[in-house]
Structure formats: C-alpha cells, structure tokens
Amino acid sequence: MDSFEQDGNGAAPDSLPPPPPVPPDVVPIKAEPEPAKKKVVRVPMARRGLGSKGQKITLLTNHFKVNVGSSDGHFFHYCVSLYYEDGRPVDGKGVGRKVIERVQETYGNELAGKDFAYDGEKSLFTVGALPNNKHEFTVVLEDVTSNRNNGNASPDVHDDSNGQDRKRIKRPYQSKTFKVEISFAAKIPMQAIQNALRGQESENSQEALRVLDIILRQHAAKQGCLLVRQSFFQNNPDNFTDIGGGVLGCRGFHSSFRASQGGLSLNIDVSTTMIIRPGPVVDFLLANQNARDPYSLDWTKAKRSLKNLRIKVSPSNQEYKITGLSEQLCKDQLFSLKQKSMKNDNGEAENLEITVYDYFVNHRNIQLRYSADLPCINVGKPKRPTYIPLELCSLVSLQRYTKALTTFQRASLVEKSRQKPQERMTVLSSALQRSNYGAEPMLRSCGISISTNFTQVEGRVLPAPRLKVGNGEDFFPRNGRWNFNNKKLVEPTKIERWAVVNFSARCDTNSLVRDLIRCGDMKGIRIDPPFDVFQESNQNRRCSPLVRVEKMFEDIQSKLPGAPQFLLCLLPDRKNSDLYGPWKKKNLSEFGIVTQCMAPTRVNDQYLTNLLLKINAKLGGLNSMLAIEQTPSIPVVSKVPTIILGMDVSHGSPGQSDIPSIAAVVSSRQWPLISRYRASVRTQSPKLEMIDSLFKKVSDKEDEDADGILLPCSLFLVQLRDGVSESQFNQVLNIELDQVIEACKFLDESWNPKFVVIVAQKNHHTKFFQQGSPDNVPPGTVIDNKICHPKNNDFYLCAHAGMIGTTRPTHYHVLLDQIGFSADDLQELVHSLSYVYQRSTTAISVGENSDLALTSVCEKLPAIAPICYAHLAAAQVGTFMKFEDASETNSSHGGVTAPGAISVPQLPRLKENVCNSMFFC
C-alpha cells in the first residue's frame, strides 16, 4: 500500500492543482542550468624582454649546438610487452635491452631494418613506421645475467648447496625463451622540435625531445654504463673515489637535449653518483661497519646492507642477487644433498645431510680460509635457499648506493669531486669526443649532428649592492664577500638574561664566555655575564638524548629565577649530535627560549663573530642591511607595501620513504625591509613536493595557513619557490598560488594583491666559464639570452663568488608577474635578496659555522635569503621528527596529508615569541 492515501482522482489530498495549459501559440523555453564558472588555468608567462644593466662579459657555457637536418618525418611510439615462455610477464629491468637487441638481430628484415630507441622498459621509438601496427616475436637468450638478475629464475648452483637436482637447475638462465609484443601507440611529428625552438611547446615537442634523450641513454647502455636518469657512469676505476664506509663516488656525465633561444643544444656536465665498492663482500662489510675483522661484524646490519645487491661467485663466475644470510654459521648450516650413487628401496636418490662448509671443502675441493665461522650468503628463494660461503662472493661493479651519506662521507665527496673551471672544460670536451654520438644510428637517421664547441653567450655583471652597518657606515662587498672587522652591527641586541649549558663538551667555559662578551662588545652587542653555567653530571652522560635534555632542564628550572632570554648550548659532537633535535624542540616548542648550539672546537674570534651574527638575528637584531632598504629605493617593492615569501619542502633521506616531508614558508616583516623574516613549518605526506597546507580553514573564525603568518594587506606578494622541476610549474601556479589567494580572501574578502611567482633551481647542469681564464665568473653575473628558454621568462644568476670548484649558477624561472617588473628590476631584486642573508658575510648560501646539524643543508640552495631561510627552518624543525614516533607527535598543530594518504605525524607548535623570531638562523 502507498505511504499516503489517494482521493478518487489518484491525487494526494495535499497536492497542488495542476498547472494551467500552455497556450497553443507559445513555445516553451527549456530551462538551462547556470553555466559553472570555468577555472582559469595559469601557465608560465612569456618573456617580456631582456635585461641591459651591468657590465657586459663574454662567457662560454657547456651547451653544444645541435643541428637538426630534417623535420618532415615522424617518430613512431610503440608499447613493448615482454613475457616468459609460460606467459608470465617479465618484471625485471635488466633483461629488456638484451631481448630487444635479439629481436633486432633475429627479425631485422621483418622490421624493415629499422633502428630502435628503447627506454629499457615499456616504450620503443622508431624513425618512420614499422611494417605492421602489431608484431609478435619469440626470441631465445643464452645468458641474461651479465648485467642484472631478473629475479624470476632459480640461481645456478654449480654450488649445489640447496640439495636440488643438479640437472633440473644447472645453468637455469641458459636458452631462456621470451615472447615479445610490439604495438603501435602514437605518432610524433619531428616538426614538434622546431616548434619548441620557436616557443610553441606542446605535448608532442616534449615527447620528441624525450625520444632524443632516450637515444642518448640507449647509446650509453650499449657501452655498459650505469644509467641514472640522464646521467651515465662507466665501469672505469679511474672515475672512482673512495669516500669511506664501503662507498665510492663515481664520476660520470649528464647529457640532455634542451630547447633554447639559440636553437637545440646538448647540455653536457660532470655528474657524480655513489656506488657500492666492488670486490670481496667481506671487504665492503668491514669498511661499511668500520670493523677490525670479519668476526666482529654486526650481521643484522650486514643483512640489511647486502639485501638485493648483486654478486659474482667464484669459481663459476655466475651472477646472483643476494636475498639474505644463513641463520647458522657456514660450518653448522645443514642442507640436503642428493646422492645419485646411493638409491633407496624405491630407486630414488638418497639425501645426505651435510654442512655448507663440508660440501664446498670436501665435495667441491674449494679451500675456505675464514668462512667456516661466518654466515653464508643466501641467493635463493624463501623456501629454497641457496647458500654460498662468504669468501667466494664478490660484489659486482656499478651498483648504486642509495642510503643517506654520513657527514664525513658527504664532506669527502664534496672535497674529492671539485673541479676548477678549466679542468671541467677539458673533461667535458674529452667526454663529448669519447661519446662518439656521430656514430649513433638513431641520431643519424634523425639528421642530427652535434657541435664540439662550447656555446658562447653574453653575460652582464651586476654591481654588488651597498650595505649598511652600525654607526651609519656603509660599504661595498668585494668579490661577493664582506667582513665585520672593525665594524658594528646595524641593529645589535642586548643579551641580559642568559646561561650556558654544557652537554659534556670539553671546553673552558669561563674563557669561552669571556671571549664571547669581548667579541660582542666589538660588534655593538652588550652581553651581560651569564646567570650560570650548567654542566652535565657524569651519570647523565649514559642516558638517552631525551632523558639528558629533560634532566638538564630540570636543573635549569631549579636554579634560574625565570625564563632566560637566551641559552648557549655546547654539544660534544661537531655535527649531527643526537641531542640537537630534543634540545631544539624543548626550547622552541615547550619553553619559547631562543637557543644557539655550538661545538667548541677550534674556537677563535672569527668563529665567535659568526656565532654572534646568528644569535643577534635570532634575538631580533639586524647584522647588516641594504642601503636601498634604508633609503628606501628597491625597484617597485619600496613604492608599494610588499611581502616576500620564501617556500621550500624538505624530504627524508634517501631510503626513508616513510619519513614525513617538511614544508616551510618564510615571509618578510617590517616593509619596506627585505632583511627580516619569520617562518612557519608543517609536516606533509612523505616525498610530496607540492605544499598542500598553505591554507586550511578550521572554522569561520580561525584559519590554519601553513605560512602561519597573518599577512597584512599588502598590495604585492613576491613568492619565491625552491625545489620544483619544470614539470611541476603548473602545479605551483594552480595549486599553491590558489591556496595563498584563498588565505588572503579569508583575512579580507576585498584583498586582491598582485603576485609575482619565481621558482629557483640549483639542481641543473648549466655552467659558465670565462674563456682563457682559470677564474670562475664574477659574482653578480646574470645571463638571460641564447641558452635560456625560447619563450618563457627565465635567467641564470651567479650571485656568489665560486672560491672552490666551478660556480653553480641559480636558474630562476619567472612563472607569473602581475606587477609588471622590467627584466632589469626583477633581476636586481633577486640579486639584492642574495645579500640580506644574516647568517654569514657572503652572498654564498653556505655558512662556515652553521648551527650544527645544519651545516650542509644549504650546499645546493640558491644564494637567495628567503629560500635559504625556508630550507633552514624545515631542516631545523625536521630534527624534532628524528627522535619521536607518530604517537608522540599527533597532538598538535598542522600535520597534513594528501588525499588517500596515511596519517602524517604533526609537528609541535612553536611558542609565539620564538615563532615570530628568526629562530632558524
């Protein structure tokens, strides 16, 4: 029965009367839904013009002109599918190239003799079409293990140590059959390359340039190189340098095609990766653990560090992938060996229980010197282990080491991989000649030839900005550097309530305090004597870092009359002290105390002056400022209230895929100054580069904007972003910028600031050289022509003086400019921002005496202060995460996750007084 009663006409009692009939001369109009507002998709802006300021200078760059003979043809893209004979898909990466090479050898006529550009996985390209849209082939490979174990077959056991039937598993990779499917996917006009050179970029032009890069990779693969994106590393010991811990720095070369104003160019540069030291496995383990002998190795660590590495086994010279270690020692590890000469009553071969050691020594007649009392290497599967004595195993060469480097390894790598400009040019010239790209058939079929001459470009040297210091003095930096000898700080602070905390560092604290007060007086900082020096008690030294910090604060609270203005902390370890994170968290988020850490080794006046620069900035002082800030006469910015934002995301170390990423935003304060900043930091999903928490509304009255910065109603916002690739530019413009706009609207619906969005990249391979000079390019060198983008607004700037090695320029991409800067004004603003870095007296972005743990965080950063500060803030607050688990960090403010991502632990909120300070200096 219906849910309501009907009357006799079938209508509900409360229903409305029917509508009047439509007159016969009226045509009803169909109601159309209101069209949804179409969201404007922003794209990177075009260049408006070139700069002209500065002294002109002729330079060479490591771009080599590429001539493209024909643009009438097409690249044809095919999808490749590989299967074993039984239909299982091939999931290993090492075998693909061998299979495709065999296809070309065996079926060349059926494929019209075409050359292939194969990426080693799923994509294959040809110049012109193959005879059919789909080809299916069967090929046989005699051996597929010389480069990589594909993980889909049983290991060879001449070392028949798992007791399987030798006939069944002997040389299992021999005569392996593969099925290959090659199917048409797309057609790419070569004309797209010419279009890209005219600034008409499209998906086709990106794909066409990708094909050319794949040809370079394939060319290197044929020479047996290790491939890491567009970098290639040969198995040549001359290119290896030992950086300790069983790790080698391996020098190779980066090669990639670039569309530029001057046409197509090939960018070649020196590149370095880390590899496992090849040779006996035991030698690697001893170096990796810094152990005296094999019997003092930590085998739990060894198992982790060896897993999935490839070895060659003596004497068979067969190659395997390590899957683990034996549970027992070689002399005790038993397995079943079938005795063909001994049959049971059913005529089957009997099993003999035998140790791995006994088998190799007595059955194989292989002498073992030290393996008896060590675990074996397992190269088998979980239910079918294959054990091999340690001393018969050697690591093959060119295996990447992807874990985070220690401080000492990183320092060694930097030291040993430096090259002066002229040396780098010589190395690059010889690398281009040895590459012999002219002999590559795929490049020839595209009509491509590559010049062997460095491209000549015109640069301009911008003059260093005038700086202001104390007592109204001003001075000009020389060669991108300056010092405070006999000069006072422009705005020194007073340090009145402070104390020294010594965590067992060997130091004469009385002498240190006396020298610090003296150096402070020379810089204009008045430092009162400290209230106390807190020495860690001997029994606390053996506690965990968290407990040591807690006990120290108990002591501080019991003796100080109130919260100190500042704490100077002496740590016993120069870098990466495990006390650093807990100490910083306790001070900044629980007590709101400004703190400076130091390791009192090689302390002199220069060290203490650098230390005082950081302390002064953290306590609200200003070390120096630009004269144009004081005037004020910064182009455009000084005329209209402006905020400068610096943004960066810091990720976990390599191999730490579950460590949350840390997003940081800093904003300038006290317009028209561009020297003072404050920061806010948030966690977000691991490895997520886009900042997804720039604005997160909590309620109608509260917002949670990741800059955590109440933006005043400025008319201009200059947004400086680090760490994104060209493929992510649209996301910066359409995701991150939208969040900033939303935050502005939340604060004031009528607030419509104009935006400038600039991305700074340090992770590129363009270098500049002075022809015939051993020196680096001068600081202030800017290049915006010839090798820059054919259409988009970009330029290179070498703000600092390269004192060691070859200068790494910063590549700036102006994605959006609603303000209307001229090229000169924008380049001058960026150049000026390289000189407001309060932590050091140089336009370079690395401070010599950084706040411990952070000495290397700016090594690859652009020399531009707001981005450096964002990176420092992310790195410093990120140390909070290193000693906490998720359960301890989920109680406070700001953890953000991407849609569908796992929950991300949140960072503790900093106390307001330090939150507003330059705590990250």
Side-chain angles (χ1 to χ4, degrees):
M1 185 173 173
D2 291 333
S3 59
F4 54 82
E5 293 186 10
Q6 296 179 323
D7 63 16
N9 295 321
D14 298 329
S15 62
L16 297 171
V22 178
D25 57 337
V26 174
V27 178
I29 299 172
K30 184 180 178 181
E32 297 286 346
E34 190 173 323
K37 275 191 176 179
K38 191 172 182 182
K39 185 178 184 299
V40 177
V41 176
R42 305 181 191 94
V43 295
M45 66 176 288
R47 186 186 308 279
R48 291 175 180 157
L50 301 178
S52 59
K53 287 185 178 177
Q55 183 178 346
K56 291 183 179 178
I57 182 173
T58 300
L59 302 169
L60 298 177
T61 183
N62 56 338
H63 286 239
F64 300 85
K65 184 164 180 56
V66 176
N67 294 309
V68 184
S70 171
S71 59
D72 297 332
H74 288 80
F75 292 118
F76 280 74
H77 178 195
Y78 295 89
C79 288
V80 176
S81 300
L82 304 181
Y83 303 92
Y84 293 106
E85 195 172 13
D86 60 6
R88 288 177 300 127
V90 175
D91 54 7
K93 291 183 179 179
V95 72
R97 293 189 188 277
K98 289 178 173 292
V99 171
I100 293 300
E101 282 176 20
R102 181 55 55 89
V103 167
Q104 282 186 286
E105 292 168 9
T106 311
Y107 299 99
N109 290 337
E110 294 178 40
L111 295 165
K114 289 285 184 188
D115 292 310
F116 292 168
Y118 176 52
D119 71 352
E121 296 186 24
K122 301 282 187 188
S123 292
L124 181 150
F125 300 87
T126 59
V127 178
L130 295 176
N132 300 309
N133 278 350
K134 186 165 185 178
H135 292 268
E136 295 185 2
F137 303 109
T138 301
V139 295
V140 177
L141 290 188
E142 284 71 34
D143 181 14
V144 296
T145 61
S146 60
N147 279 339
R148 245 175 233 197
N149 185 320
N150 64 29
N152 286 291
S154 302
D156 158 36
V157 185
H158 272 325
D159 327 293
D160 189 7
S161 52
N162 62 6
Q164 302 299 315
D165 183 351
R166 188 179 296 186
K167 281 186 180 176
R168 181 164 63 83
I169 64 171
K170 183 179 178 183
R171 299 187 70 77
Y173 289 109
Q174 302 305 308
S175 301
K176 200 153 197 67
T177 302
F178 296 89
K179 295 176 182 177
V180 184
E181 291 179 4
I182 300 175
S183 308
F184 173 76
K187 190 164 75 167
I188 306 161
M190 290 189 191
Q191 181 63 39
I193 297 174
Q194 299 297 336
N195 293 344
L197 300 178
R198 289 194 291 267
Q200 301 166 1
E201 276 196 284
S202 65
E203 193 172 324
N204 273 339
S205 60
Q206 292 167 2
E207 278 295 293
L209 290 175
R210 176 175 164 244
V211 175
L212 298 183
D213 284 339
I214 286 171
I215 294 171
L216 296 187
R217 282 177 58 83
Q218 178 175 272
H219 185 77
K222 287 177 181 175
Q223 299 171 1
C225 293
L226 166 66
L227 308 182
V228 182
R229 294 178 292 278
Q230 284 302 128
S231 292
F232 322 120
F233 303 90
Q234 292 181 322
N235 188 16
N236 181 353
D238 291 344
N239 295 333
F240 300 163
T241 180
D242 195 332
I243 61 171
V247 181
L248 306 180
C250 177
R251 192 176 74 186
F253 298 94
H254 165 93
S255 297
S256 64
F257 287 98
R258 306 284 299 178
S260 65
Q261 294 165 344
L264 190 64
S265 66
L266 180 65
N267 178 207
I268 299 182
D269 193 23
V270 174
S271 185
T272 304
T273 194
M274 277 66 68
I275 62 171
I276 299 288
R277 187 166 80 186
V281 170
V282 70
D283 289 353
F284 164 72
L285 292 176
L286 291 174
N288 187 247
Q289 297 186 22
N290 194 26
R292 297 184 310 278
D293 55 61
Y295 309 105
S296 55
L297 288 168
D298 180 330
W299 292 103
T300 303
K301 284 184 182 176
K303 185 177 180 179
R304 283 199 303 268
S305 59
L306 291 176
K307 190 172 176 60
N308 293 328
L309 294 181
R310 289 172 289 127
I311 56 170
K312 279 196 174 179
V313 174
S314 174
S316 69
N317 217 28
Q318 281 293 109
E319 187 176 311
Y320 307 106
K321 182 187 285 185
I322 298 175
T323 55
L325 299 174
S326 62
E327 294 293 326
Q328 295 176 290
L329 302 180
C330 183
K331 66 182 182 182
D332 301 322
Q333 183 66 54
L334 293 167
F335 71 98
S336 297
L337 179 65
K338 287 189 178 179
Q339 300 293 295
K340 294 181 183 177
S341 58
M342 299 173 62
K343 309 282 186 180
N344 59 20
D345 295 341
N346 297 326
E348 297 172 343
E350 287 195 354
N351 286 335
L352 174 67
E353 288 291 307
I354 186 173
T355 66
V356 175
Y357 181 83
D358 190 18
Y359 169 75
F360 277 89
V361 171
N362 298 320
H363 287 67
R364 297 284 303 282
N365 294 317
I366 297 173
Q367 293 305 307
L368 299 176
R369 293 177 295 115
Y370 59 80
S371 293
D373 295 306
L374 301 174
C376 303
I377 298 291
N378 182 8
V379 296
K381 297 183 177 179
K383 294 184 179 177
R384 238 175 60 186
T386 300
Y387 299 121
I388 302 170
L390 190 67
E391 66 192 85
L392 302 183
C393 303
S394 288
L395 292 160
V396 301
S397 193
L398 295 184
Q399 298 191 76
R400 287 186 73 200
Y401 181 82
T402 57
K403 297 180 176 64
L405 296 181
T406 66
T407 302
F408 301 104
Q409 285 174 324
R410 190 186 302 114
S412 178
L413 181 66
V414 170
E415 179 67 33
K416 293 177 179 179
S417 59
R418 286 171 176 150
Q419 288 178 312
K420 287 287 188 182
Q422 289 299 314
E423 180 191 355
R424 185 174 288 248
M425 289 183 75
T426 302
V427 167
L428 293 179
S429 291
S430 61
L432 182 58
Q433 291 172 354
R434 283 199 313 273
S435 295
N436 194 20
Y437 289 133
E440 172 53 54
M442 277 294 287
L443 290 180
R444 285 208 308 268
S445 60
C446 300
I448 281 181
S449 61
I450 301 167
S451 168
T452 56
N453 297 321
F454 287 77
T455 295
Q456 186 172 300
V457 296
E458 185 180 88
R460 292 171 289 111
V461 182
L462 304 179
R466 187 160 48 103
L467 295 178
K468 285 283 184 186
V469 289
N471 298 332
E473 284 188 71
D474 54 5
F475 66 105
F476 288 94
R478 294 172 59 87
N479 205 27
R481 294 175 169 271
W482 63 99
N483 63 57
F484 279 104
N485 289 348
N486 304 316
K487 292 180 175 63
K488 296 190 184 297
L489 307 185
V490 67
E491 287 184 22
T493 55
K494 295 178 183 177
I495 304 177
E496 297 169 315
R497 303 182 320 280
W498 70 291
V500 179
V501 173
N502 185 8
F503 282 102
S504 305
R506 294 180 181 175
C507 178
D508 180 350
T509 51
N510 290 331
S511 175
L512 174 67
V513 167
R514 188 168 57 249
D515 290 342
L516 191 69
I517 292 173
R518 176 177 53 80
C519 287
D521 184 60
M522 289 163 53
K523 302 298 125 201
I525 302 174
R526 199 192 83 199
I527 306 175
D528 289 348
F531 181 86
D532 204 345
V533 175
F534 295 91
Q535 302 281 0
E536 184 176 37
S537 63
N538 288 335
Q539 66 262 32
N540 289 348
R541 294 182 191 182
R542 288 182 284 276
C543 298
S544 71
L546 271 172
V547 171
R548 291 174 72 181
V549 168
E550 289 291 341
K551 288 185 177 296
M552 182 63 80
F553 258 93
E554 288 172 9
D555 194 21
I556 293 170
Q557 285 181 290
S558 69
K559 294 178 181 174
L560 289 185
Q565 176 191 10
F566 167 70
L567 289 175
L568 179 65
C569 176
L570 312 185
L571 298 177
D573 309 308
R574 185 166 174 351
K575 293 176 182 175
N576 294 331
S577 170
D578 54 7
L579 288 161
Y580 184 88
W583 174 256
K584 284 289 181 182
K585 177 178 178 291
K586 196 77 175 173
N587 279 272
L588 298 177
S589 69
E590 294 186 34
F591 289 96
I593 299 171
V594 172
T595 177
Q596 174 67 43
C597 295
M598 65 175 288
T601 56
R602 291 188 301 171
V603 175
N604 54 29
D605 281 8
Q606 181 62 52
Y607 180 99
L608 292 175
T609 298
N610 283 357
L611 204 70
L612 283 164
L613 295 181
K614 301 175 181 63
I615 295 168
N616 191 56
K618 287 176 180 180
L619 290 174
L622 203 58
N623 301 329
S624 63
M625 64 188 298
L626 300 173
I628 53 175
E629 286 181 272
Q630 197 175 58
T631 318
S633 56
I634 305 169
V636 182
V637 169
S638 290
K639 296 181 175 67
V640 177
T642 302
I643 291 175
I644 295 172
L645 300 177
M647 304 162 66
D648 190 29
V649 178
S650 175
H651 303 293
S653 300
Q656 295 180 313
S657 59
D658 57 342
I659 300 295
S661 293
I662 311 286
V665 180
V666 303
S667 76
S668 59
R669 305 173 67 201
Q670 294 178 289
W671 177 83
L673 294 187
I674 60 172
S675 290
R676 276 206 174 101
Y677 293 82
R678 60 153 295 177
S680 186
V681 185
R682 297 286 184 274
T683 51
Q684 59 184 38
S685 297
K687 308 302 178 187
L688 179 65
E689 182 56 50
M690 287 300 110
I691 303 178
D692 65 358
S693 56
L694 281 164
F695 177 76
K696 183 183 176 186
K697 188 172 176 182
V698 177
S699 68
D700 288 338
K701 295 184 178 179
E702 183 186 357
D703 76 290
E704 201 177 306
D705 49 326
D707 23 356
I709 295 161
L710 288 177
L711 306 172
C713 290
S714 298
L715 299 182
F716 294 165
L717 263 74
V718 179
Q719 190 171 315
L720 302 160
R721 179 67 158 95
D722 183 39
V724 292
S725 63
E726 291 171 39
S727 64
Q728 297 169 310
F729 286 176
N730 285 345
Q731 291 172 276
V732 170
L733 283 172
N734 295 288
I735 296 176
E736 291 185 350
L737 180 57
D738 275 355
Q739 292 183 60
V740 176
I741 292 171
E742 192 179 354
C744 294
K745 290 292 183 190
F746 180 81
L747 292 170
D748 185 342
E749 186 62 38
S750 64
W751 188 16
N752 291 302
K754 293 182 177 181
F755 288 91
V756 172
V757 179
I758 303 173
V759 167
Q761 290 179 336
K762 204 82 170 180
N763 192 21
H764 61 83
H765 289 276
T766 296
K767 300 290 190 299
F768 297 102
F769 309 91
Q770 296 193 68
Q771 190 166 16
S773 169
D775 297 329
N776 270 302
V777 298
T781 298
V782 63
I783 298 96
D784 60 4
N785 62 85
K786 204 152 187 180
I787 60 152
C788 291
H789 194 278
K791 176 187 174 186
N792 295 349
N793 191 356
D794 67 327
F795 61 93
Y796 292 89
L797 175 64
C798 304
H800 65 274
M803 307 302 287
I804 306 170
T806 304
T807 296
R808 184 199 293 260
T810 304
H811 192 184
Y812 293 97
H813 302 261
V814 185
L815 304 187
L816 178 69
D817 178 9
Q818 297 175 334
I819 296 173
F821 277 94
S822 69
D824 280 323
D825 285 348
L826 199 55
Q827 290 166 13
E828 186 179 338
L829 173 63
V830 170
H831 187 224
S832 297
L833 285 167
S834 304
Y835 282 83
V836 299
Y837 192 54
Q838 299 295 307
R839 285 165 52 95
S840 65
T841 55
T842 167
I844 195 170
S845 54
V846 185
E848 182 66 27
N849 297 305
S850 302
D851 193 356
L852 281 142
L854 304 174
T855 29
S856 61
V857 294
C858 284
E859 282 173 3
K860 294 186 178 180
L861 277 180
I864 184 168
I867 289 176
C868 271
Y869 289 150
H871 194 92
L872 287 166
Q876 187 169 128
V877 178
T879 61
F880 294 5
M881 306 295 294
K882 291 183 181 178
F883 61 94
E884 295 181 327
D885 62 31
S887 64
E888 291 176 302
T889 56
N890 60 8
S891 59
S892 50
H893 187 73
V896 179
T897 55
I902 58 170
S903 178
V904 174
Q906 300 176 3
L907 290 169
R909 194 166 193 170
L910 304 184
K911 289 290 184 182
E912 189 173 344
N913 59 318
V914 290
C915 186
N916 289 315
S917 74
M918 291 178 68
F919 68 87
F920 41 81
C921 260

